Amino acid sequence: MTPPTAARGISPSFSDLWKRTFLGKPLINEHLESESLSNVVALGALSPDAISSTVYGPEQIMVELLPAAGLAAFVLVLPIAAVILLILVLVAGSYRQVVMTYTQRGGSYVVARSNFGPRIAQLSAAALLIDYVVTVAVQCASGTFAVVSAIPPLGPYHLEITVVALLIISYANLRGMREAGRMFAVPVYAFIVMLTVMIVTGVIRQIFWGLPQYDPQHIAGAVPVHQGNGLVMGATILVLLRAFANGGTSLTGVEAIADAVNVFRKPQGPNARRVLTAMACILGFLLVGVIYLVHATHATPYVAEYPSMLSEVGRAVFGNGIIGNVMYLLLQAASAAILFFGANTSFNGFPALTSFVAEDSFLPRPLVKRGHRLVFSNAIITLTALALVLLLVTGGSVDAIVPLFAMGVFTGFSMAGYGMTKHHLTHREPGWRHKLAINLSAGILSTIVVGIFAVAKFTEGAWLVVVVMPLLVFALMRLNRQYRAEAAVLEMSATEQPELARHARHRVFVFVDSVDLAEVEALRYGKGLQADELVAVHFVIDAAHAARLKQRWERFDHDTRLRIIDCPDRQLTRVAHELVLEALEDHPGTKVTVLLPRRTYSPLLGRLLHDRTADKMAKVISRIPGASAQILPYDIKSRIAQAARARRADIRSGDLMQISADAEQRRNGNEPAPMADAAQQVVENPRK
């Protein structure tokens, strides 16, 4: 299909050329067709964020426990895992009801909006926006640490690798990479298989032969280990809460399926519920299995964050033989792949969420616009920029980012639980009491986790979320107020008849700076407005230039009066404002229209070589009641191209005339000039 601009001979802009070069050909709206997914593919495409959290979740628990509880941490980690598993069951049960009730995209935001209204829903929107940004940073950083755990010499460059990975994922999404498909399922299933093999092998070895154990107190570079020898010593309630809060990051990504119910095959709700249940079961099995092996091997996190704790468990389970090394490398490759692909979950969820929120007029409208490749380009670029800033500020450290992580996640869980509770109280469908108990429990427990994070991790960075989230909600509300104010001004009552009567008097001013084709076009347009008075106005900045303009105007034979107004301080916006006010005061009820010819040039040189005075004056005049300003573009670049084509046509016409004259000389027996011979050859053999 030929693009409309090409069909009309309009040359593409620099932006269009850049997009075509780096992003590919533009897609048309007919390509915007959702791809329905089978349950097997959907599980692989939508669960990498959740399942990959088993890589860093258990490690974050031990980062908190070991410095405070010592070796008792390897016992305490088991009950903490049990509590996390309980929350997983309740949250999954809550979202099983969400996907049956709300089959469009949006997850907890749609639930909150439907049950509490769009304003309360902004709490969920703010939480999810923060969550998506932090998820991208955590997934990319964790993927990099999986790589450097297998290849330690790359460790000093982990931040650079993380940034490059983020930019590659962003670029792929700008090109229109689909969220669903076998490409995303492969690393997920590979990771599940490798982790299952590791867990089964590790449990069997532990039962029959015993696994080798690390000695955390004598590992160079490991996190500090408390020297206590009891379960209570050093393991205060605060420490347990901090460890539990860190472990809560293992539940991130559970909402991803609820965010994409519309991509499932029909019946969408039941299929999404089956996949959600399967994902929760797999996540629970892998999480408990990894934590048990950490308990058995005494795997220890490092201060430098690599090698990762999962890497240590893999070494202990598979050993150092040839087969063991191969299995270890496959485990690390699968871990890195699922972590990097898990970041892509946010690149699908963030743009979809921002488009919903922008449609509700709580975010800028450009976030609704699809770009060159039918993706929400503005949202993708925004997400990339925010995640990049977060990575650079934290140095790509997972330990530094985690305190910002789970607060947004569990706030979303809370809003979904409370929203579904309100839904059941309102509709009272069969079995609603049982469902209400599940949703209310999930909402309350998730709120408790948010509170634990806010208190226990406040000094480690959670304060930033505590401050940013209310500010973000306030900004969303303030933006919505602005949109509503604009809409109220532009709206007419349904019973109010529009007043289309002609103004009692209409005066048109054409601001001129020279006598050229752009001014002539503006005057011609002004005459077409059938105004009661049409006046050309020139503001004097340079007296000599004004005198020359006046002389040329007098030679320019027409009936439009030229008014010269002095502007000693060179403030054109001020004097234009005063002129319009004077016209309105002299004749009440007058409508004043100001026409501003603007010569448009090439995008790059035009901004360097010419100012934007017309835009500034139009902005000031348009604020005056009873006045309007209109900019009349006159494209110089296209006129230059036309003039060049005309010159080439004239030259070619002259050459043809010369050729004809030489041909006439030949017929008369005279030899043509050498130049004519060359021209004749061009005519006879154009390719040459």
Side-chain angles (χ1 to χ4, degrees):
M1 181 176 178
T2 304
T5 55
R8 291 171 173 78
I10 301 174
S11 58
S13 65
F14 175 80
S15 175
D16 292 332
L17 292 174
W18 184 91
K19 290 176 183 177
R20 281 178 172 270
T21 301
F22 291 97
L23 302 180
K25 294 181 179 180
L27 298 179
I28 58 177
N29 290 339
E30 284 75 5
H31 293 143
L32 189 60
E33 297 178 358
S34 59
E35 177 189 357
S36 60
L37 305 179
S38 66
N39 290 357
V40 174
V41 175
L43 177 62
L46 300 176
S47 61
D49 182 14
I51 293 177
S52 65
S53 63
T54 55
V55 176
Y56 51 82
E59 181 166 347
Q60 291 303 313
I61 298 176
M62 301 307 298
V63 166
E64 286 293 341
L65 285 181
L66 278 172
L71 297 181
F74 296 106
V75 176
L76 294 172
V77 70
L78 297 178
I80 291 176
V83 177
I84 293 173
L85 195 61
L86 172 63
I87 296 177
L88 172 61
V89 171
L90 290 174
V91 170
S94 178
Y95 275 102
R96 275 170 53 88
Q97 299 173 40
V98 171
V99 298
M100 291 295 292
T101 307
Y102 301 96
T103 56
Q104 71 270 43
R105 304 186 65 145
S108 63
Y109 176 74
V110 173
V111 176
R113 184 181 62 178
S114 299
N115 293 282
F116 301 120
R119 296 190 180 182
I120 300 298
Q122 300 318 306
L123 292 172
S124 179
L128 289 174
L129 291 174
I130 294 172
D131 172 43
Y132 283 132
V133 173
V134 179
T135 295
V136 171
V138 167
Q139 295 287 136
C140 290
S142 298
T144 300
F145 283 121
V147 172
V148 301
S149 296
I151 313 175
L154 295 178
Y157 309 101
H158 70 90
L159 179 59
E160 291 82 354
I161 297 172
T162 304
V163 170
V164 170
L166 169 62
L167 295 178
I168 291 174
I169 296 171
S170 174
Y171 174 69
N173 279 275
L174 287 173
R175 286 188 61 91
M177 184 171 63
R178 289 186 178 272
E179 65 180 356
R182 294 176 177 83
M183 179 179 65
F184 291 88
V186 170
V188 174
Y189 285 112
F191 178 77
I192 293 173
V193 169
M194 289 306 305
L195 215 58
T196 301
V197 170
M198 184 191 77
I199 292 171
V200 172
T201 304
V203 170
I204 292 174
R205 287 192 60 185
Q206 176 67 9
I207 293 174
F208 293 101
W209 300 283
L211 285 170
Q213 282 191 346
Y214 294 94
D215 184 2
Q217 295 176 326
H218 298 90
I219 297 177
V223 297
V225 179
H226 192 273
Q227 298 303 311
N229 54 7
L231 292 178
V232 179
M233 189 173 189
T236 63
I237 295 297
L238 181 60
V239 170
L240 292 175
L241 291 178
R242 288 159 65 99
F244 167 74
N246 274 15
T249 58
S250 301
L251 303 184
T252 59
V254 172
E255 192 186 49
I257 292 175
D259 287 341
V261 181
N262 62 315
V263 305
F264 284 85
R265 293 177 180 174
K266 295 182 179 180
Q268 293 173 326
N271 283 329
R273 184 173 59 181
R274 294 187 191 101
V275 172
L276 177 62
T277 304
M279 183 190 72
C281 291
I282 293 171
L283 175 59
F285 167 73
L286 297 181
L287 184 62
V288 171
V290 171
I291 289 178
Y292 173 76
L293 293 179
V294 169
H295 161 78
T297 63
H298 286 197
T300 307
Y302 281 71
V303 174
E305 301 184 50
Y306 69 94
S308 65
M309 206 166 67
L310 183 65
S311 168
E312 294 180 85
V313 173
R315 278 293 187 197
V317 170
F318 293 129
N320 294 310
I322 296 177
I323 296 178
N325 286 331
V326 171
M327 296 298 291
Y328 169 79
L329 292 176
L330 289 176
L331 173 66
Q332 292 305 109
S335 301
I338 193 175
L339 286 164
F340 287 132
F341 275 91
N344 193 69
T345 304
S346 291
F347 277 96
N348 294 307
F350 184 90
L353 175 63
T354 54
S355 69
F356 287 142
V357 179
E359 285 176 359
D360 291 339
S361 299
F362 287 91
L363 277 176
R365 296 271 168 77
L367 292 172
V368 180
K369 180 182 177 183
R370 291 186 181 271
H372 188 75
R373 300 284 294 180
L374 290 181
V375 296
F376 297 107
S377 305
N378 294 328
I380 291 173
I381 293 172
T382 301
L383 176 60
T384 303
L386 293 174
L388 183 61
V389 169
L390 182 58
L391 285 171
L392 294 177
V393 169
T394 59
S397 169
V398 176
D399 293 346
I401 301 174
V402 159
L404 313 176
F405 198 13
M407 287 191 66
V409 177
F410 281 92
T411 301
F413 292 167
S414 301
M415 295 301 294
Y418 295 140
M420 289 305 298
T421 300
K422 173 74 179 302
H423 173 82
H424 293 310
L425 288 173
T426 303
H427 295 84
R428 297 179 182 268
E429 299 165 344
W432 66 272
R433 289 184 175 85
H434 171 71
K435 297 176 181 177
L436 182 146
I438 294 175
N439 285 285
L440 185 59
S441 299
I444 292 174
L445 277 178
S446 298
T447 304
I448 292 173
V449 174
V450 173
I452 291 172
F453 246 99
V455 174
K457 308 291 289 186
F458 186 84
T459 58
E460 296 182 22
W463 66 268
L464 186 60
V465 179
V466 173
V467 172
V468 168
M469 190 176 295
L471 291 178
L472 183 55
V473 172
F474 173 78
L476 296 174
M477 296 289 191
R478 183 65 184 84
L479 187 60
N480 178 257
R481 188 188 310 166
Q482 178 66 25
Y483 274 129
R484 286 189 287 111
E486 293 173 358
V489 170
L490 295 174
E491 280 182 353
M492 293 189 304
S493 171
T495 59
E496 180 183 354
Q497 294 297 323
E499 180 60 49
L500 301 178
R502 191 171 184 266
H503 291 283
R505 181 180 176 83
H506 187 196
R507 301 187 70 182
V508 177
F509 295 119
V510 181
F511 291 175
V512 299
D513 189 53
S514 61
V515 180
D516 58 19
L517 291 177
E519 310 290 356
V520 171
E521 288 293 331
L523 289 170
R524 183 181 292 125
Y525 181 83
K527 286 182 177 293
L529 297 178
Q530 299 180 352
D532 297 298
E533 184 180 6
L534 175 65
V535 180
V537 179
H538 175 69
F539 300 117
V540 180
I541 294 178
D542 184 343
H545 174 73
R548 289 192 297 270
L549 173 63
K550 187 175 182 180
Q551 291 177 358
R552 291 198 63 189
W553 196 269
E554 292 172 352
R555 293 198 302 270
F556 188 42
D557 188 18
H558 59 80
D559 57 355
T560 304
R561 178 168 64 94
L562 175 65
R563 181 176 175 183
I564 304 293
I565 299 178
D566 192 29
C567 184
D569 61 357
R570 299 170 302 285
Q571 297 294 322
L572 295 177
T573 54
R574 178 193 61 78
V575 71
H577 186 269
E578 292 176 353
L579 171 66
V580 174
L581 287 178
E582 179 186 346
L584 293 172
E585 292 171 358
D586 290 346
H587 301 279
T590 297
K591 169 68 177 179
V592 176
T593 299
V594 175
L595 303 179
L596 300 107
R598 184 175 71 186
R599 300 150 188 85
T600 59
Y601 303 85
S602 59
L604 294 179
L605 289 178
R607 290 189 176 274
L608 294 174
L609 303 180
H610 306 278
D611 58 19
R612 312 288 289 183
T613 305
D615 301 83
K616 299 174 184 177
M617 297 174 76
K619 182 178 180 181
V620 171
I621 294 168
S622 297
R623 294 173 178 171
I624 303 174
S628 61
Q630 187 171 351
I631 296 175
L632 303 177
Y634 189 84
D635 189 60
I636 302 299
K637 182 181 178 182
S638 63
R639 266 60 178 193
I640 293 174
Q642 292 174 6
R645 287 195 295 269
R647 283 197 299 271
R648 288 194 295 270
D650 290 342
I651 293 172
R652 186 169 182 80
S653 176
D655 290 341
L656 292 175
M657 291 177 62
Q658 180 65 40
I659 291 169
S660 298
D662 292 339
E664 183 66 25
Q665 289 182 15
R666 289 182 183 219
R667 286 195 294 271
N668 295 334
N670 298 325
E671 288 295 325
M675 187 66 186
D677 278 336
Q680 181 69 22
Q681 293 175 9
V682 170
V683 173
E684 294 174 353
N685 188 5
R687 291 182 181 276
K688 182 176 179 181

